[in-house]
Amino acid sequence: MNREQLAQVLRAASRIAGDRPIVMGSQAILGTFDHEVLPDSATVSMEADLAFLDDPDRAKADQVTGMIGEDSEFHLERGYYAEGIHVTTARLAPGWEDRLVVQVVPPGADGPGAVACFLERHDLAAAKLAAFRAKDIRFVTTLADAQLIDLATVRERIEQTDLSPVARHRALTLLDSLPTASDTRADHDT
């Protein structure tokens, strides 16, 4: 999914929910970097996970999934879609709401503009490592290889997140196995 495709999803979700969507899945990286800067493997998902801060009963998330979710007319016409989720779906370090990246989504042929929020890239990486699915590990590894995240910051966020000891150890062990920027530069110098 590129930025324009995500913009279409965000405009539609904002209209449906009458609220500011928060991009919480891998597409949140588009809130920090242009599609052209990112490795292709960082934007392969055709799904945008969206949540809303004021959605205690998931009604807004359910409306979004129903209207522009998988197998909806929106999805069938465009090839990408939204998945409404609850903000507690992702395991995040305290203060994540204050670090959200806020952007104005410009108007498009499909409707007026909107305001959307994106998980900050280090919160996103930490949440992906907390989830520890194969696709999440690949995503974080891709960002680290491209030097688009600071591993020390991701480590801090993991350490601040309420995780089981096993989940924390698993995430930190994987994080420690990733090459740092200095390791990458050393490889290029030889």
Side-chain angles (χ1 to χ4, degrees):
M1 186 178 296
N2 62 36
R3 270 191 163 186
E4 181 48 39
Q5 293 167 331
L6 181 58
Q8 290 176 9
V9 169
L10 294 172
R11 286 189 291 264
S14 180
R15 281 193 310 275
I16 292 164
D19 199 357
R20 177 184 296 192
I22 303 170
V23 184
M24 300 198 68
S26 60
Q27 300 306 335
I29 199 67
L30 290 169
T32 302
F33 298 107
D34 285 328
H35 181 259
E36 296 79 23
V37 174
L38 294 164
D40 290 340
S41 58
T43 58
V44 295
S45 178
M46 288 288 104
E47 171 188 334
D49 294 327
L50 305 180
F52 302 89
L53 283 176
D54 182 25
D55 193 21
D57 60 357
R58 285 188 44 105
K60 293 174 185 177
D62 289 344
Q63 286 178 317
V64 166
T65 298
M67 298 288 293
I68 61 172
E70 189 171 19
D71 296 329
S72 67
E73 186 177 320
F74 182 97
H75 177 208
L76 297 175
E77 288 176 1
R78 292 169 178 83
Y80 47 89
Y81 61 96
E83 177 71 28
I85 64 172
H86 195 270
V87 292
T88 59
T89 301
R91 304 301 298 264
L92 296 162
W96 67 269
E97 300 99 330
D98 299 327
R99 294 186 294 270
L100 287 170
V101 177
V102 180
Q103 288 191 2
V104 174
V105 179
D110 58 332
V115 175
C117 299
F118 300 77
L119 279 183
E120 187 273 338
R121 62 190 166 139
H122 300 100
D123 285 321
L124 174 62
K128 292 291 188 181
L129 289 177
F132 214 77
R133 297 170 298 195
K135 67 180 184 175
D136 299 321
I137 293 167
R138 282 191 304 274
F139 179 77
V140 173
T141 301
T142 297
L143 295 181
D145 287 347
Q147 300 179 25
L148 298 175
I149 53 174
D150 176 66
L151 300 182
T153 302
V154 176
R155 171 179 275 287
E156 285 176 14
R157 302 282 165 79
I158 291 169
E159 290 172 347
Q160 295 167 355
T161 302
D162 183 21
L163 297 173
S164 72
V166 170
R168 183 179 322 284
H169 176 74
R170 181 178 61 194
L172 292 174
T173 299
L174 178 79
L175 188 64
D176 290 342
S177 74
L178 298 175
T180 63
S182 61
D183 293 338
T184 306
R185 280 193 296 272
D187 290 344
H188 290 283
D189 292 342
T190 57

